[in-house]
Amino acid sequence: MSERPIRVLVAKPGLDGHDRGAKVIAQALRDAGMEVIYTGLRQTPEQIVEAALQEDVQVVGLSILSGAHMHLFPAVVEGLRAQGADDILVVGGGIIPDEDIPLLKEAGIAEIFGPGTPTTEIIRFIREEVAKRTQKEEGRQ
Amino acid sequence: MFEKEKLESIRVSAKEYRERLEAQVKKRPERQSGFVTDSGIEIKTLYTPEDIADLDYERDLGFPGSYPFTRGVQPNMYRGRLWTMRQYAGFGTAEETNARFRYLLEQGQTGLSVAFDLPTQIGYDSDHPLARGEVGKVGVAIDSLEDMETLFEGIPLDKVSTSMTINSPAAILLAMYIAVAEKQGVTPDKLNGTIQNDILKEYIARGTYIFPPGPSMRLITDIFAYCSRHVPNWNTISISGYHIREAGSTAVQEVAFTLADGIAYVQAAIDAGLNVDDFAPRLSFFFNAHLNFFEEIAKFRAARRLWARIMKERFGAKNPRSWMLRFHTQTAGCSLTAQQPMVNIMRTAFEALSAVLGGTQSLHTNSYDEALALPSDESVLIALRTQQVIGYEIGVADTVDPLGGSYYIESLTNEIEEKAMAYIKKIDELGGAPEAIEFMQKEIKDSAYRYQMDIESGKKVVIGINKFQMEYEKPKNLLKVDPAVAERQTAKLRALRERRDNQKVKQVLVNLREAASTRENLMPLFIDAVKAYATLGEICDTLREVFGEYRQQIVF
């Protein structure tokens, strides 16, 4: 097992400026020993994909509160796939109606964390999922 | 406030009390090892005259309607007229929002408050690539004067007051409002309302900036100058702590950063050659009402006193209206939970009560379903009824500043003022608010993280999140914005671009570009441009060419 810290890109797609959640998560992940890059506001899916590849992250965390998630989240996953980076774990959070969650998961978002989620739960999820993916990767080699 | 001898005698008996208290606590420990407010101010077991021994009634409190306005801005406050009940609303197209406005007015709401969608707030037309998925989502989509005419159809603009949450393109939306009024036969001097127009807190906390600070401040002072001559009853800015608090600041930081922004606007206007008493009476403020009840009440009182002192002492304002901090309040969106959402009705009610006890001029109460979606007609009605209960049923509006003189409230008011002043000094040392954006962001971010960690450790109780969790029913009838809004809006825009006199549009935009690179007041040019049906996106693009765009520094 590699001891390399998990690298995470925390990104704000869309036009909304509510980045309290994104910043709190970014800091919690960093305090949990991960390497975290935060994109800042108003990122297009294309910019997020590019940053994820450039920063060589294993995880992309998307945060949005504007209601544009159905357009923007799947676009990030598609962009990553198009670049052959479908091994990157994509998770999301924000104000996301329940009925949208199955559709987002179908589109390749691994999990949606709604309001009130403890940061510890997100940290655990990321660790477990990354470990699974790393094992799979090592199995293939 | 107290006679020396009396105070001495109180000191003696207080000492005895403390001894008894210690014995009691030793026998039976308190619920927690210490008590603090949200701002980290230590809360004592009991407050007595000792805690406000230095308070000078006339200097520090005075009478309502008089300097330093600690007790309120009007002599009789809500005995004359209750606060304006103003629910922030807007979604989808102008037609849908117009219907919600009429519904709210029929239910007894007394002022309008427009929520714009994000493309409008950032100056993009609905057909802009960056508007994809955002049109009509968090507010109403306004692309041109045509949409604004629809938004206020059947609403006489000389009879209502309208607040518009618009910042970077505030001047353009105000120009549209003036143009709609003109079509209704209402002259600008009859208009009442507010534009938020507070760009500094956009850089700090809210995020809907377009242009860099320099030209943004110029647009703001253009509005101050124009309105002082032509739209005298308009609140030209709503200097907002609301979003700073929502981003995670404490109550003290909310007061400090908001007033520091206020200082920057006043200074900018003075530097632009305006006389302080010509524009300062039209400055207004916007605060958050959060859960820590007494600290919130004290916060409103401290903000009022501090602003009065700043305006009088620092800026030498002579007109008492320039000293007055008038403010709108909204209950804390970030205090709402998605879990057991009906509990939010209680949270909102207590927050609203703190705003009323703190002397707010207008109030928005959040709806219980807002951690899940935009509010439905049903939830927004309960939110409005909450205000009406406070105003009409429980008697709190019947006397002025009923908590004034409370040892605790006065002591907290002093402490908040002191701590906020220390922050303002620090921001002054950094060169003022525009230079201290990253400093404020870092302070806010640290507070937000502490707040979250306090919830996760159980130090801060949130019902339904870390205590008293249970299965709960999710509210039905959540509002869903029709996904066809974007197409409808884009089609309207296309039709407008074909129908209007494009030669004229070109000309008004050329005029605007030329004026933008001089120091000419741009308000009349915006009015010409919107009347020619130039779109918001076209006008903002013209300004982008001259002013450039703001690039955020990432603080984390």
Side-chain angles (χ1 to χ4, degrees):
Chain A
M1 223 184 94
S2 85
E3 285 301 309
R4 180 167 90 101
I6 299 171
R7 279 176 72 78
V8 187
L9 181 77
V10 174
K12 280 284 302 167
L15 300 181
D16 82 279
H18 302 94
D19 60 358
R20 175 180 185 163
K23 284 179 175 172
V24 165
I25 300 290
Q27 192 167 345
L29 298 181
R30 194 164 60 184
D31 286 358
M34 301 183 198
E35 288 176 0
V36 184
I37 301 108
Y38 170 51
T39 60
L41 304 177
R42 292 193 210 167
Q43 301 295 302
T44 62
E46 296 75 28
Q47 288 170 318
I48 294 169
V49 169
E50 199 190 308
L53 296 175
Q54 225 163 51
E55 298 286 351
D56 190 23
V57 297
Q58 293 140 288
V59 185
V60 172
L62 302 171
S63 168
I64 194 166
L65 285 91
S66 74
H69 49 272
M70 294 307 283
H71 286 265
L72 299 170
F73 282 12
V76 172
V77 176
E78 282 156 28
L80 289 171
R81 279 185 189 148
Q83 300 287 327
D86 42 2
D87 56 326
I88 296 179
L89 174 72
V90 181
V91 295
I95 304 284
I96 315 261
D98 280 354
E99 67 261 33
D100 291 347
I101 294 175
L103 300 170
L104 290 172
K105 287 193 174 170
E106 231 167 82
I109 319 297
E111 193 55 87
I112 297 292
F113 299 102
T117 310
T119 55
T120 45
E121 192 180 315
I122 299 167
I123 293 164
R124 187 174 46 80
F125 182 86
I126 288 177
R127 282 195 180 132
E128 283 173 10
E129 285 300 309
V130 169
K132 271 189 229 162
R133 282 164 202 240
T134 316
Q135 274 167 9
K136 237 199 264 170
E137 192 76 0
E138 281 166 359
R140 245 184 264 149
Q141 278 164 1
Chain B
M1 282 247 290
F2 305 95
E3 289 168 37
K4 257 203 174 127
E5 272 170 37
K6 246 317 176 213
L7 212 52
E8 240 353 276
S9 138
I10 290 170
R11 278 199 180 112
V12 174
S13 36
K15 213 173 143 220
E16 288 165 21
Y17 161 77
R18 273 194 289 273
E19 282 161 14
R20 289 199 302 278
L21 176 69
E22 254 172 62
Q24 158 90 8
V25 173
K26 217 175 252 171
K27 219 166 40 187
R28 207 171 302 150
E30 293 185 324
R31 280 187 284 123
Q32 53 198 66
S33 59
F35 295 79
V36 289
T37 67
D38 278 356
S39 301
I41 295 171
E42 198 190 322
I43 304 171
K44 300 204 247 178
T45 314
L46 187 76
Y47 288 79
T48 70
E50 283 181 286
D51 296 290
I52 51 168
D54 298 330
L55 196 76
D56 178 325
Y57 185 84
E58 282 166 312
R59 183 195 62 199
D60 299 326
L61 301 183
F63 287 87
S66 306
Y67 187 85
F69 302 98
T70 314
R71 307 202 65 183
V73 291
Q74 290 128 5
N76 62 346
M77 290 301 290
Y78 308 132
R79 285 169 65 107
R81 189 178 66 81
L82 292 178
W83 61 92
T84 303
M85 300 182 186
R86 195 194 294 279
Q87 298 295 94
Y88 185 46
F91 57 93
T93 57
E95 286 84 358
E96 286 166 287
T97 301
N98 177 263
R100 173 68 72 91
F101 282 168
R102 291 186 188 206
Y103 172 76
L104 287 166
L105 290 170
E106 278 162 27
Q107 296 305 321
Q109 173 164 298
T110 47
L112 296 175
S113 174
V114 191
F116 295 102
D117 72 357
L118 286 162
T120 305
Q121 294 188 49
I122 304 174
Y124 295 127
D125 285 336
S126 296
D127 57 358
H128 192 281
L130 285 172
R132 209 165 65 102
E134 309 272 14
V135 176
K137 282 281 162 61
V138 304
V140 59
I142 300 291
D143 289 319
S144 73
L145 181 60
E146 191 182 41
D147 295 325
M148 203 72 162
E149 288 161 3
T150 309
L151 185 64
F152 292 106
E153 203 177 298
I155 300 170
L157 297 188
D158 52 346
K159 299 280 187 320
V160 293
S161 79
T162 304
S163 168
M164 294 192 269
T165 299
I166 194 75
N167 292 280
S168 212
I172 303 155
L173 272 297
L174 175 59
M176 288 186 189
Y177 194 80
I178 292 170
V180 172
E182 196 184 302
K183 292 205 166 181
Q184 288 188 0
V186 177
T187 49
D189 59 303
K190 301 277 185 318
L191 295 177
N192 279 286
T194 309
I195 39 175
Q196 198 163 72
N197 197 24
D198 172 9
I199 195 64
L200 290 170
K201 67 91 178 54
E202 295 297 328
Y203 301 133
I204 297 166
R206 192 169 173 274
T208 69
Y209 42 74
I210 306 175
F211 316 112
S216 293
M217 297 297 270
R218 177 258 182 108
L219 288 174
I220 292 168
T221 51
D222 278 2
I223 293 171
F224 288 180
Y226 184 85
C227 288
S228 73
R229 265 173 285 137
H230 305 283
V231 205
N233 299 317
W234 197 264
N235 295 313
T236 50
I237 192 166
S238 173
I239 306 163
S240 305
Y242 184 79
H243 319 88
I244 289 173
R245 190 65 179 281
E246 285 293 295
S249 86
T250 65
V252 165
Q253 289 165 347
E254 182 189 353
V255 172
F257 300 167
T258 309
L259 299 200
D261 288 350
I263 290 169
Y265 295 125
V266 173
Q267 194 59 57
I270 291 173
D271 293 347
L274 303 184
N275 178 340
V276 66
D277 284 319
D278 286 345
F279 66 87
R282 298 318 306 173
L283 305 178
S284 66
F285 289 80
F286 174 21
F287 290 112
N288 197 302
H290 214 289
L291 285 165
N292 203 276
F293 190 68
F294 293 116
E295 185 178 46
E296 292 302 291
I297 298 168
K299 174 188 81 180
F300 299 123
R301 301 172 85 252
R304 247 190 324 263
R305 181 162 75 204
L306 190 48
W307 186 248
R309 287 176 171 162
I310 289 167
M311 289 310 289
K312 192 174 181 195
E313 290 161 18
R314 179 169 178 153
F315 292 112
K318 299 275 187 303
N319 182 350
R321 297 197 64 85
S322 304
W323 306 331
M324 265 185 213
L325 180 145
R326 296 171 299 119
F327 68 100
H328 172 67
T329 308
Q330 179 170 339
T331 57
C334 61
S335 72
L336 304 180
T337 60
Q339 294 76 7
Q340 301 180 47
M342 298 307 270
V343 178
N344 292 327
I345 299 174
M346 271 71 82
R347 294 191 177 102
T348 298
F350 292 125
E351 291 167 352
L353 181 57
S354 77
V356 169
L357 293 172
T360 195
Q361 276 56 65
S362 61
L363 180 60
H364 166 106
T365 33
N366 290 326
S367 301
Y368 63 82
D369 51 0
E370 287 190 66
L372 300 157
L374 289 183
S376 63
D377 271 357
E378 183 216 353
S379 68
V380 93
L381 184 62
I382 291 178
L384 177 60
R385 292 288 182 255
T386 303
Q387 295 200 37
Q388 290 164 337
V389 168
I390 296 173
Y392 294 103
E393 292 190 359
I394 64 172
V396 292
D398 297 348
T399 187
V400 178
D401 188 32
L403 296 180
S406 147
Y407 309 122
Y408 180 38
I409 288 290
E410 295 303 352
S411 168
L412 261 184
T413 304
N414 289 345
E415 269 193 87
I416 291 171
E417 184 184 8
E418 232 169 76
K419 289 189 156 62
M421 200 56 226
Y423 261 125
I424 291 172
K425 277 216 178 87
K426 167 90 190 163
I427 292 165
D428 279 340
E429 282 162 20
L430 290 169
E435 303 298 321
I437 290 164
E438 284 84 33
F439 165 74
M440 292 188 262
Q441 284 183 321
K442 181 163 187 319
E443 293 289 305
I444 295 166
K445 174 190 78 75
D446 290 347
S447 298
Y449 193 61
R450 220 165 22 239
Y451 194 92
Q452 177 66 23
M453 291 303 119
D454 283 352
I455 292 172
E456 296 195 10
S457 70
K459 201 168 144 192
K460 183 177 278 302
V461 172
V462 184
I463 310 289
I465 298 284
N466 62 6
K467 214 177 175 92
F468 310 120
Q469 298 99 317
M470 59 181 259
E471 287 300 310
Y472 58 92
E473 206 181 323
K474 297 229 164 157
K476 294 179 188 80
N477 313 320
L478 289 180
L479 186 130
K480 225 175 153 104
V481 176
D482 181 357
V485 163
E487 285 153 45
R488 279 208 300 277
Q489 198 62 26
T490 315
K492 255 202 303 190
L493 198 53
R494 208 178 309 124
L496 174 79
R497 287 198 177 116
E498 276 168 26
R499 201 175 55 237
R500 67 185 185 183
D501 180 348
N502 280 303
Q503 206 46 46
K504 192 161 177 211
V505 171
K506 214 173 184 180
Q507 190 53 52
V508 292
L509 293 176
V510 167
N511 296 348
L512 176 63
R513 184 179 301 118
E514 280 171 11
S517 42
T518 68
R519 294 190 56 172
E520 192 179 338
N521 192 314
L522 295 179
M523 271 309 291
L525 290 114
F526 290 138
I527 294 173
D528 285 348
V530 302
K531 280 185 181 168
Y533 293 92
T535 66
L536 180 65
E538 290 162 350
I539 296 171
C540 287
D541 278 346
T542 304
L543 295 179
R544 282 184 182 98
E545 285 171 32
V546 183
F547 294 159
E549 291 186 67
Y550 180 69
R551 293 269 164 258
Q552 180 196 31
Q553 295 288 315
I554 292 166
V555 175
F556 130 77

